[in-house]
Amino acid sequence: MKRPLIGVTSATCAFDCHAPQPQDRLNQSYSRALWQAGAVPVILPNLPEDAETVMQTLARLDGLLLSGGWDISPTRYGESPLNEIVKVDEERDRAEFPLIRAALERETPLLAICRGIQALNVALGGTLYQDIPSQVETRLQHQQTEPRHVPTHTIAVESGSRLAQIVGAARLETNSMHHQAVREVGEGLRVTARAEDGVIEALENPLKPFLVAVQFHPEEIALAPEETASVQACRALFRAFVEACV
Ligand code: MN
């Protein structure tokens, strides 16, 4: 099988005071999980994108993965930052939003993870909880302190959804490393998983070739050495995405 070429958006070093120079950066787990699932991953830098460059980039890619990172500027959904916990990566917003809009227009297969689900939702007119601990009544710890690949809460997956089809289960143990979450759902998206406290953990657009978004981090779980149901489900998610890009 020819490996599809999948672009992965990157973060800046906006909140890393140790970076000696401006950087585009990505946790290795994203590229490793894509490679493991049969793709050739390419890291997309944060460029001051113009429409033409974005279209030329996407024309060469078979798929797009929106990776995790710092927060989206609340001005993009008509709010101002709630508190000092909200850490906005505006340089990244400027690079990523045109790419998301163009990918939606072209119907490029898209997998969105963590900040990715939030960016996708905002790009489609949705809103976010800026800070779960201050805005959502919950006993769940969505910002886990356990190692990143360790599942710490359960999500209920909507039956009949593409996500349910892929993971083959109605419940999934997931990791959780987010302090924001989807609030009002963007146009064309449907909620396909929630945590026990109601926090939205997955979205998709069933009418698109492949448009799946998750709040958890399948790239971390997919690389775990053991063969738990959760590991298998996260590997299946990456395989389904890569197959949709072929
Ligand atoms: Mn969570």
Side-chain angles (χ1 to χ4, degrees):
M1 181 184 97
K2 190 180 172 215
R3 286 176 172 260
L5 190 66
I6 298 182
V8 188
T9 57
S10 61
T12 71
C13 55
F15 298 100
D16 178 1
C17 53
H18 300 296
Q21 301 287 335
Q23 295 175 336
D24 297 304
R25 51 209 296 177
L26 181 73
N27 289 347
Q28 278 191 353
S29 48
Y30 294 100
S31 18
R32 299 271 166 111
L34 283 171
W35 181 257
Q36 175 179 269
V40 173
V42 287
I43 301 172
L44 304 175
N46 290 282
L47 299 171
E49 297 282 20
D50 60 273
E52 179 59 27
T53 315
V54 167
M55 281 322 219
Q56 288 200 22
T57 304
L58 282 173
R60 290 170 166 87
L61 296 175
D62 301 307
L64 180 66
L65 190 155
L66 304 178
S67 63
W70 297 103
D71 302 332
I72 290 140
S73 173
T75 57
R76 290 191 178 262
Y77 46 94
E79 296 181 16
S80 45
L82 182 74
N83 57 32
E84 72 288 350
I85 305 296
V86 179
K87 292 206 162 39
V88 171
D89 191 346
E90 273 183 341
E91 185 186 355
R92 179 171 182 177
D93 289 350
R94 282 194 292 275
E96 208 169 34
F97 274 77
L99 202 59
I100 296 171
R101 288 196 204 98
L104 291 170
E105 196 181 308
R106 289 179 63 93
E107 303 208 324
T108 303
L110 197 151
L111 176 62
I113 295 176
C114 196
R115 173 194 153 99
I117 190 175
Q118 298 164 8
L120 174 71
N121 189 55
V122 171
L124 287 166
T127 65
L128 304 178
Y129 287 112
Q130 291 191 39
D131 185 40
I132 295 172
S134 351
Q135 294 181 297
V136 181
E137 202 172 309
T138 178
R139 268 181 281 176
L140 287 184
Q141 179 57 265
H142 286 280
Q143 190 74 268
Q144 73 185 51
T145 51
E146 288 82 351
R148 293 173 66 85
H149 69 282
V150 175
T152 57
H153 74 60
T154 305
I155 63 171
V157 183
E158 186 75 24
S159 70
S161 65
R162 187 187 290 256
L163 184 64
Q165 220 171 59
I166 293 168
V167 304
R171 294 173 77 76
L172 190 60
E173 300 290 321
T174 64
N175 50 4
S176 195
M177 291 164 278
H178 58 113
H179 81 102
Q180 300 200 326
V182 170
R183 191 171 190 168
E184 291 165 280
V185 175
E187 198 187 329
L189 297 173
R190 149 178 180 206
V191 177
T192 55
R194 288 182 190 269
E196 285 160 62
D197 55 8
V199 164
I200 292 173
E201 294 275 348
L203 298 172
E204 64 191 46
N205 183 332
L207 304 178
K208 300 292 179 187
F210 191 100
L211 181 47
V212 174
V214 294
Q215 184 59 72
F216 56 96
H217 283 272
E219 80 286 3
E220 301 282 357
I221 297 175
L223 297 174
E226 61 270 14
E227 290 282 337
T228 62
S230 177
V231 170
Q232 283 168 357
C234 291
R235 287 179 187 166
L237 176 55
F238 271 92
R239 275 200 312 272
F241 173 49
V242 170
E243 275 162 25
C245 297
V246 174

